[in-house]
Amino acid sequence: MHNDEPNLLRFATASLACHRDTAQADDWPLSREELDALHEHAVALHQLVDHATVRTRAQAPAEGDHLHNARIRMWQSTEHLHAAYHAAPRADGRMPSREACAFRLPEGAPELTICQRHLTASKRVRLITTPTDLHTPATGMICR
């Protein structure tokens, strides 16, 4: 790891903590814009954990297995954030229909941006995980 990388991660973490602290005063549900930004962050974090897993697994298998499991859980988080976005009210206050949510129909631009990001990231996920991995409950530590 380069010398600057831990500092950049700490800066990113501090930024999230700052946002969390300022957002706690708001008691409204997250807007679609906030869910979109959170999804973007989760996808970026998933990609970071993916890179760490690839770098680590060959030389430190036990550590790599934990990172692999973290990578799976991160992807599951992005799936839920994507679903929450589509279940959230639109800017005009209209709620998506049950049918649209059940069929996960895209809503068009600009809302489609989150779907494009999610589909792009899911291509990598399909290459590195199995359906069984993705549907394993996260009730405890999973050892390989």
Side-chain angles (χ1 to χ4, degrees), residues 11-36:
F11 179 73
T13 301
S15 296
L16 285 173
C18 179
H19 177 74
R20 179 199 63 225
D21 292 344
T22 57
Q24 281 183 344
D26 190 2
D27 60 353
W28 292 97
L30 291 180
S31 68
R32 282 184 150 209
E33 291 79 16
E34 290 172 301
L35 287 167
D36 182 39

mmCIF file of all heavy atoms in Angstrom, residues 11-36:
data_model
loop_
_atom_site.group_PDB
_atom_site.id
_atom_site.type_symbol
_atom_site.label_atom_id
_atom_site.label_comp_id
_atom_site.label_asym_id
_atom_site.label_seq_id
_atom_site.Cartn_x
_atom_site.Cartn_y
_atom_site.Cartn_z
ATOM 1 N N PHE A 11 -9.406 10.100 5.594
ATOM 2 C CA PHE A 11 -10.092 11.321 5.197
ATOM 3 C C PHE A 11 -11.515 11.008 4.730
ATOM 4 O O PHE A 11 -12.470 11.700 5.099
ATOM 5 C CB PHE A 11 -9.301 12.043 4.099
ATOM 6 C CG PHE A 11 -9.956 13.297 3.619
ATOM 7 C CD1 PHE A 11 -9.960 14.438 4.407
ATOM 8 C CD2 PHE A 11 -10.585 13.329 2.387
ATOM 9 C CE1 PHE A 11 -10.578 15.599 3.968
ATOM 10 C CE2 PHE A 11 -11.203 14.484 1.940
ATOM 11 C CZ PHE A 11 -11.202 15.622 2.727
ATOM 12 N N ALA A 12 -11.661 9.970 3.915
ATOM 13 C CA ALA A 12 -12.985 9.576 3.426
ATOM 14 C C ALA A 12 -13.878 9.165 4.594
ATOM 15 O O ALA A 12 -15.057 9.527 4.643
ATOM 16 C CB ALA A 12 -12.857 8.439 2.414
ATOM 17 N N THR A 13 -13.322 8.435 5.552
ATOM 18 C CA THR A 13 -14.087 8.009 6.721
ATOM 19 C C THR A 13 -14.513 9.215 7.554
ATOM 20 O O THR A 13 -15.655 9.292 8.015
ATOM 21 C CB THR A 13 -13.258 7.028 7.574
ATOM 22 O OG1 THR A 13 -12.915 5.912 6.751
ATOM 23 C CG2 THR A 13 -14.036 6.543 8.771
ATOM 24 N N ALA A 14 -13.606 10.168 7.743
ATOM 25 C CA ALA A 14 -13.936 11.379 8.496
ATOM 26 C C ALA A 14 -15.039 12.177 7.788
ATOM 27 O O ALA A 14 -15.928 12.732 8.441
ATOM 28 C CB ALA A 14 -12.686 12.238 8.679
ATOM 29 N N SER A 15 -14.993 12.213 6.462
ATOM 30 C CA SER A 15 -16.031 12.914 5.705
ATOM 31 C C SER A 15 -17.392 12.258 5.912
ATOM 32 O O SER A 15 -18.401 12.941 6.085
ATOM 33 C CB SER A 15 -15.689 12.934 4.218
ATOM 34 O OG SER A 15 -14.517 13.668 3.998
ATOM 35 N N LEU A 16 -17.415 10.935 5.902
ATOM 36 C CA LEU A 16 -18.676 10.221 6.146
ATOM 37 C C LEU A 16 -19.182 10.471 7.557
ATOM 38 O O LEU A 16 -20.380 10.665 7.772
ATOM 39 C CB LEU A 16 -18.488 8.722 5.923
ATOM 40 C CG LEU A 16 -18.406 8.274 4.476
ATOM 41 C CD1 LEU A 16 -18.056 6.798 4.405
ATOM 42 C CD2 LEU A 16 -19.700 8.560 3.759
ATOM 43 N N ALA A 17 -18.275 10.465 8.525
ATOM 44 C CA ALA A 17 -18.673 10.722 9.912
ATOM 45 C C ALA A 17 -19.245 12.125 10.051
ATOM 46 O O ALA A 17 -20.245 12.334 10.756
ATOM 47 C CB ALA A 17 -17.481 10.526 10.842
ATOM 48 N N CYS A 18 -18.644 13.081 9.378
ATOM 49 C CA CYS A 18 -19.138 14.461 9.404
ATOM 50 C C CYS A 18 -20.546 14.525 8.807
ATOM 51 O O CYS A 18 -21.449 15.158 9.368
ATOM 52 C CB CYS A 18 -18.176 15.367 8.650
ATOM 53 S SG CYS A 18 -18.692 17.090 8.602
ATOM 54 N N HIS A 19 -20.736 13.880 7.684
ATOM 55 C CA HIS A 19 -22.068 13.856 7.053
ATOM 56 C C HIS A 19 -23.083 13.189 7.979
ATOM 57 O O HIS A 19 -24.192 13.693 8.150
ATOM 58 C CB HIS A 19 -22.022 13.132 5.708
ATOM 59 C CG HIS A 19 -23.370 13.020 5.080
ATOM 60 N ND1 HIS A 19 -23.998 14.088 4.502
ATOM 61 C CD2 HIS A 19 -24.223 11.970 4.984
ATOM 62 C CE1 HIS A 19 -25.183 13.695 4.059
ATOM 63 N NE2 HIS A 19 -25.336 12.427 4.336
ATOM 64 N N ARG A 20 -22.690 12.076 8.567
ATOM 65 C CA ARG A 20 -23.586 11.368 9.493
ATOM 66 C C ARG A 20 -23.996 12.285 10.639
ATOM 67 O O ARG A 20 -25.163 12.365 10.992
ATOM 68 C CB ARG A 20 -22.896 10.119 10.040
ATOM 69 C CG ARG A 20 -23.758 9.333 11.031
ATOM 70 C CD ARG A 20 -22.950 8.401 11.902
ATOM 71 N NE ARG A 20 -22.032 9.182 12.724
ATOM 72 C CZ ARG A 20 -20.750 8.872 12.920
ATOM 73 N NH1 ARG A 20 -20.217 7.816 12.352
ATOM 74 N NH2 ARG A 20 -19.981 9.629 13.674
ATOM 75 N N ASP A 21 -23.035 12.985 11.216
ATOM 76 C CA ASP A 21 -23.322 13.848 12.356
ATOM 77 C C ASP A 21 -24.226 15.012 11.978
ATOM 78 O O ASP A 21 -25.095 15.404 12.752
ATOM 79 C CB ASP A 21 -22.023 14.371 12.977
ATOM 80 C CG ASP A 21 -21.220 13.255 13.636
ATOM 81 O OD1 ASP A 21 -21.783 12.163 13.881
ATOM 82 O OD2 ASP A 21 -20.024 13.471 13.884
ATOM 83 N N THR A 22 -24.051 15.571 10.791
ATOM 84 C CA THR A 22 -24.902 16.691 10.379
ATOM 85 C C THR A 22 -26.272 16.206 9.928
ATOM 86 O O THR A 22 -27.258 16.923 10.074
ATOM 87 C CB THR A 22 -24.248 17.507 9.248
ATOM 88 O OG1 THR A 22 -23.979 16.650 8.145
ATOM 89 C CG2 THR A 22 -22.968 18.164 9.716
ATOM 90 N N ALA A 23 -26.350 14.999 9.407
ATOM 91 C CA ALA A 23 -27.625 14.469 8.918
ATOM 92 C C ALA A 23 -28.492 13.906 10.037
ATOM 93 O O ALA A 23 -29.696 13.718 9.851
ATOM 94 C CB ALA A 23 -27.378 13.390 7.864
ATOM 95 N N GLN A 24 -27.922 13.649 11.206
ATOM 96 C CA GLN A 24 -28.703 13.053 12.291
ATOM 97 C C GLN A 24 -29.790 13.984 12.804
ATOM 98 O O GLN A 24 -30.777 13.536 13.365
ATOM 99 C CB GLN A 24 -27.792 12.630 13.440
ATOM 100 C CG GLN A 24 -27.090 11.326 13.167
ATOM 101 C CD GLN A 24 -26.243 10.873 14.338
ATOM 102 O OE1 GLN A 24 -25.936 11.631 15.246
ATOM 103 N NE2 GLN A 24 -25.863 9.618 14.318
ATOM 104 N N ALA A 25 -29.624 15.282 12.627
ATOM 105 C CA ALA A 25 -30.636 16.225 13.095
ATOM 106 C C ALA A 25 -31.896 16.169 12.238
ATOM 107 O O ALA A 25 -32.965 16.581 12.667
ATOM 108 C CB ALA A 25 -30.060 17.645 13.086
ATOM 109 N N ASP A 26 -31.784 15.658 11.035
ATOM 110 C CA ASP A 26 -32.913 15.569 10.108
ATOM 111 C C ASP A 26 -33.676 14.281 10.383
ATOM 112 O O ASP A 26 -33.102 13.193 10.397
ATOM 113 C CB ASP A 26 -32.372 15.577 8.672
ATOM 114 C CG ASP A 26 -33.474 15.730 7.640
ATOM 115 O OD1 ASP A 26 -34.646 15.870 8.027
ATOM 116 O OD2 ASP A 26 -33.143 15.707 6.444
ATOM 117 N N ASP A 27 -34.980 14.394 10.608
ATOM 118 C CA ASP A 27 -35.754 13.190 10.904
ATOM 119 C C ASP A 27 -36.599 12.729 9.719
ATOM 120 O O ASP A 27 -37.469 11.890 9.860
ATOM 121 C CB ASP A 27 -36.636 13.393 12.145
ATOM 122 C CG ASP A 27 -37.639 14.533 11.996
ATOM 123 O OD1 ASP A 27 -37.567 15.260 10.980
ATOM 124 O OD2 ASP A 27 -38.483 14.696 12.889
ATOM 125 N N TRP A 28 -36.334 13.276 8.524
ATOM 126 C CA TRP A 28 -37.041 12.853 7.327
ATOM 127 C C TRP A 28 -36.376 11.619 6.730
ATOM 128 O O TRP A 28 -35.182 11.426 6.873
ATOM 129 C CB TRP A 28 -37.011 13.973 6.282
ATOM 130 C CG TRP A 28 -37.817 15.162 6.696
ATOM 131 C CD1 TRP A 28 -37.342 16.290 7.295
ATOM 132 C CD2 TRP A 28 -39.222 15.324 6.582
ATOM 133 N NE1 TRP A 28 -38.361 17.151 7.548
ATOM 134 C CE2 TRP A 28 -39.544 16.584 7.120
ATOM 135 C CE3 TRP A 28 -40.244 14.530 6.072
ATOM 136 C CZ2 TRP A 28 -40.836 17.071 7.169
ATOM 137 C CZ3 TRP A 28 -41.529 15.017 6.115
ATOM 138 C CH2 TRP A 28 -41.823 16.266 6.656
ATOM 139 N N PRO A 29 -37.146 10.791 6.035
ATOM 140 C CA PRO A 29 -36.523 9.649 5.336
ATOM 141 C C PRO A 29 -35.528 10.162 4.292
ATOM 142 O O PRO A 29 -35.616 11.300 3.836
ATOM 143 C CB PRO A 29 -37.698 8.955 4.651
ATOM 144 C CG PRO A 29 -38.928 9.480 5.297
ATOM 145 C CD PRO A 29 -38.592 10.841 5.852
ATOM 146 N N LEU A 30 -34.612 9.322 3.918
ATOM 147 C CA LEU A 30 -33.640 9.707 2.899
ATOM 148 C C LEU A 30 -34.342 9.984 1.574
ATOM 149 O O LEU A 30 -35.277 9.274 1.193
ATOM 150 C CB LEU A 30 -32.614 8.594 2.691
ATOM 151 C CG LEU A 30 -31.633 8.335 3.829
ATOM 152 C CD1 LEU A 30 -30.689 7.200 3.447
ATOM 153 C CD2 LEU A 30 -30.846 9.574 4.176
ATOM 154 N N SER A 31 -33.872 10.993 0.897
ATOM 155 C CA SER A 31 -34.393 11.305 -0.433
ATOM 156 C C SER A 31 -33.756 10.359 -1.440
ATOM 157 O O SER A 31 -32.755 9.696 -1.156
ATOM 158 C CB SER A 31 -34.064 12.754 -0.801
ATOM 159 O OG SER A 31 -32.665 12.891 -0.977
ATOM 160 N N ARG A 32 -34.316 10.338 -2.625
ATOM 161 C CA ARG A 32 -33.722 9.537 -3.692
ATOM 162 C C ARG A 32 -32.308 10.006 -4.002
ATOM 163 O O ARG A 32 -31.440 9.197 -4.285
ATOM 164 C CB ARG A 32 -34.575 9.607 -4.948
ATOM 165 C CG ARG A 32 -35.788 8.711 -4.847
ATOM 166 C CD ARG A 32 -36.570 8.729 -6.127
ATOM 167 N NE ARG A 32 -37.194 7.422 -6.217
ATOM 168 C CZ ARG A 32 -37.498 6.818 -7.336
ATOM 169 N NH1 ARG A 32 -37.250 7.384 -8.482
ATOM 170 N NH2 ARG A 32 -38.053 5.632 -7.324
ATOM 171 N N GLU A 33 -32.067 11.316 -3.935
ATOM 172 C CA GLU A 33 -30.729 11.842 -4.201
ATOM 173 C C GLU A 33 -29.736 11.324 -3.163
ATOM 174 O O GLU A 33 -28.613 10.954 -3.506
ATOM 175 C CB GLU A 33 -30.737 13.381 -4.196
ATOM 176 C CG GLU A 33 -31.477 13.984 -5.373
ATOM 177 C CD GLU A 33 -33.005 13.983 -5.201
ATOM 178 O OE1 GLU A 33 -33.506 13.801 -4.056
ATOM 179 O OE2 GLU A 33 -33.706 14.127 -6.208
ATOM 180 N N GLU A 34 -30.159 11.282 -1.894
ATOM 181 C CA GLU A 34 -29.275 10.762 -0.846
ATOM 182 C C GLU A 34 -29.039 9.267 -1.020
ATOM 183 O O GLU A 34 -27.921 8.785 -0.831
ATOM 184 C CB GLU A 34 -29.864 11.052 0.533
ATOM 185 C CG GLU A 34 -29.827 12.514 0.914
ATOM 186 C CD GLU A 34 -30.582 12.784 2.194
ATOM 187 O OE1 GLU A 34 -31.800 12.485 2.253
ATOM 188 O OE2 GLU A 34 -29.950 13.300 3.133
ATOM 189 N N LEU A 35 -30.090 8.533 -1.364
ATOM 190 C CA LEU A 35 -29.935 7.094 -1.595
ATOM 191 C C LEU A 35 -29.019 6.822 -2.780
ATOM 192 O O LEU A 35 -28.197 5.910 -2.742
ATOM 193 C CB LEU A 35 -31.302 6.429 -1.809
ATOM 194 C CG LEU A 35 -32.160 6.293 -0.563
ATOM 195 C CD1 LEU A 35 -33.594 5.933 -0.940
ATOM 196 C CD2 LEU A 35 -31.567 5.264 0.390
ATOM 197 N N ASP A 36 -29.138 7.647 -3.824
ATOM 198 C CA ASP A 36 -28.268 7.512 -4.985
ATOM 199 C C ASP A 36 -26.816 7.752 -4.579
ATOM 200 O O ASP A 36 -25.915 6.984 -4.955
ATOM 201 C CB ASP A 36 -28.700 8.488 -6.077
ATOM 202 C CG ASP A 36 -27.857 8.377 -7.337
ATOM 203 O OD1 ASP A 36 -27.501 7.252 -7.732
ATOM 204 O OD2 ASP A 36 -27.560 9.431 -7.927
#
